Amino acid sequence: MLELNGPDKINIYPNPTKENVYVSNLKEDNVDLKIYDINGKIVMQQKISNKEYLNVSKLSNGIYQLTFEGKNWKENRKLIKE
């Protein structure tokens, strides 16, 4: 599985956030997104497409790992929820 780095990385902003993050630079539509808390537990899971807002207002304040997975690639991002 290809791990993406450099300018092709998925963008999430604002980061840190309180409510919504904008996701862009996905390689395809209907990407699997899993959000993990600091203990490695999945706290949110959904399909997401490019240039879409993700509502994280229900998550507790803290640091999360976002894992995006497409057909032949996987990419991780860190998100800070305030």
Side-chain angles (χ1 to χ4, degrees):
M1 183 140 325
L2 177 65
E3 293 277 343
L4 299 175
N5 293 306
D8 292 334
K9 286 185 176 184
I10 294 170
N11 298 315
I12 56 168
Y13 54 90
N15 190 8
T17 189
K18 293 182 188 292
E19 202 169 290
N20 292 306
V21 289
Y22 183 72
V23 179
S24 66
N25 209 26
L26 291 174
K27 311 303 174 249
E28 58 193 82
D29 287 334
N30 294 318
V31 171
D32 288 319
L33 168 64
K34 294 178 184 170
I35 301 179
Y36 297 87
D37 67 12
I38 196 126
N39 298 313
K41 178 183 171 194
I42 295 176
V43 294
M44 194 170 160
Q45 184 173 0
Q46 70 181 63
K47 295 275 191 185
I48 191 166
S49 293
N50 201 29
K51 298 182 179 173
E52 193 170 304
Y53 281 96
L54 177 64
N55 186 327
V56 294
S57 62
K58 293 183 180 177
L59 296 178
S60 300
N61 291 355
I63 299 172
Y64 295 88
Q65 178 175 306
L66 282 62
T67 301
F68 299 88
E69 191 166 349
K71 289 185 178 114
N72 295 308
W73 60 273
K74 183 176 184 179
E75 188 172 342
N76 296 313
R77 285 281 162 275
K78 182 172 78 171
L79 175 67
I80 300 170
K81 167 70 169 53
E82 295 181 327

